[in-house]
Amino acid sequence: MTATSHVRFGAGDQLAVVEQARIGALAVAVERDLHTVVADHRDLFAGRPFDPALVSGIAMSVAFTAPEHTAEQLRVTARTVLWVFAADWQIDYLARTADDVREVTAACLAVADAGPSSARHPLARLLGGIRDELSATPAFALVEPVWRDELGRMLAAMSREWRWKTTRGTGPGDPTLDEYLDIADNTGAMLVSVTHWASVGDQDCLDHLDALRVAGRATQRAIRLINDLATHRRDLQWGDLNALMLADATDVTARLTTTVEESRELLRPLERSCPRQAAFLSRQIAFTSGFYRVSDFWGSL
């Protein structure tokens, strides 16, 4: 008799495994679609960090944060997460000059304003396809100005991070931790959330969009800190900016604790008025926290 033969699994354990398996299968379906995107945009995803595990991680993140939806319903949400990774790669790693950054951001904003026919950059072409899919959803006419604003915020935050990173040691000094968290839009989390709500959101979501965005900003600040605490070594290797370069680990961890609590406080009233959307935000923190205990999204350089 083995040491494990006395272990008994109750009905609750079995139900938990069944649900986790269902969400895992949902992630597999989402992942298959993302691989078609990668195949169709090889010029964007040629870098070694875009390995199959990154695509798998993105699919899991979407499936576990919105498990009540089908793979088809999550298609544009997942594609937007993949696009954010591509944008981060283009601006944070590949861009060598300020003109490079301006070219990428201008091309993407032009697509957001004028449609895919204006795409002059591979990143903009992929964004144009996402915008096309969103424009076919009933809510997008109302949400489009918010979506455009979040896109602009994300690109502006990535551009500011690039300037800070490239002038470290030569400019007026590093940003403070507060200043760094003010550009947490560089995670793209709010753009993804607004895309998701435009795609699958109900009337409760649209009625509380402003409050959801406020809570979402706290959520993405928490995600920024969770990411930085887990990826400091990789950021040093890649030359990225990280909260641990601006403050010691004790201060960063304390800030994470208060930021998570801020997010929870903002989400509590939304759990009654629009529970599915509030859950989408709270699960982002939960998934990110669990995922980074074991792995990273990016592959190696």
Side-chain angles (χ1 to χ4, degrees):
M1 184 176 291
T2 65
T4 59
S5 61
H6 293 294
V7 176
R8 296 290 183 267
F9 295 100
D13 296 312
Q14 294 180 38
L15 288 173
V17 171
V18 168
E19 177 60 8
Q20 290 164 5
R22 185 193 67 80
I23 297 172
L26 176 62
V28 169
V30 171
E31 181 180 350
R32 286 185 174 128
D33 176 70
L34 292 180
H35 281 301
T36 68
V37 178
V38 171
D40 290 341
H41 298 270
R42 295 185 187 278
D43 47 354
L44 274 183
F45 302 108
R48 284 186 62 198
F50 290 103
D51 63 5
L54 181 143
V55 178
S56 176
I58 291 173
M60 284 192 293
S61 73
V62 174
F64 275 91
T65 52
E68 67 273 24
H69 296 291
T70 66
E72 182 60 28
Q73 289 173 319
L74 295 177
R75 169 187 167 103
V76 71
T77 305
R79 288 184 171 209
T80 302
V81 178
L82 181 63
W83 181 85
V84 169
F85 274 86
D88 188 46
W89 180 249
Q90 291 288 322
I91 294 174
D92 202 35
Y93 190 79
L94 293 184
R96 292 292 177 262
T97 68
D99 284 342
D100 292 339
V101 175
R102 283 191 289 268
E103 178 185 357
V104 172
T105 57
C108 292
L109 293 175
V111 164
D113 293 333
S117 61
S118 63
R120 306 187 310 273
H121 189 281
L123 187 67
R125 286 195 291 274
L126 177 54
L127 179 65
I130 291 170
R131 186 188 184 281
D132 266 358
E133 290 201 39
L134 279 177
S135 65
T137 63
F140 192 59
L142 177 64
V143 180
E144 182 176 7
V146 177
W147 180 83
R148 170 60 175 80
D149 181 59
E150 293 297 346
L151 175 66
R153 285 172 179 258
M154 189 203 83
L155 292 171
M158 286 184 172
S159 299
R160 185 179 299 180
E161 181 190 14
W162 184 91
R163 290 195 297 273
W164 281 339
K165 182 182 70 172
T166 55
T167 59
R168 290 196 77 206
T170 61
D174 290 338
T176 64
L177 183 58
D178 286 336
E179 290 171 333
Y180 178 68
L181 290 177
D182 281 344
I183 64 158
D185 290 309
N186 64 356
T187 65
M190 274 307 304
L191 176 65
V192 170
S193 294
V194 169
T195 299
H196 180 72
W197 297 330
S199 178
V200 300
D202 53 23
Q203 191 59 47
D204 286 341
C205 169
L206 301 180
D207 290 342
H208 296 88
L209 194 55
D210 290 343
L212 283 166
R213 291 178 77 192
V214 172
R217 303 230 102 78
T219 298
Q220 74 175 0
R221 286 193 292 273
I223 291 170
R224 175 77 279 163
L225 292 173
I226 293 168
N227 176 291
D228 284 11
L229 284 166
T231 63
H232 183 221
R233 183 176 299 177
R234 187 250 290 159
D235 288 338
L236 287 172
Q237 178 188 1
W238 288 23
D240 283 351
L241 200 59
N242 183 294
L244 292 174
M245 301 173 189
L246 311 174
D248 64 38
T250 300
D251 290 341
V252 173
T253 302
R255 178 62 64 87
L256 172 59
T257 299
T258 59
T259 304
V260 170
E261 184 54 38
E262 177 190 4
S263 172
R264 288 172 177 164
E265 287 294 326
L266 291 167
L267 286 171
R268 283 190 182 103
L270 294 169
E271 289 169 355
R272 296 187 294 274
S273 57
C274 44
R276 289 170 65 183
Q277 289 73 33
F280 181 73
L281 291 174
S282 64
R283 289 179 192 138
Q284 288 180 9
I285 294 177
F287 180 87
T288 305
S289 178
F291 185 87
Y292 276 118
R293 292 180 186 182
V294 178
S295 187
D296 188 3
F297 285 96
W298 291 106
S300 60
L301 282 176

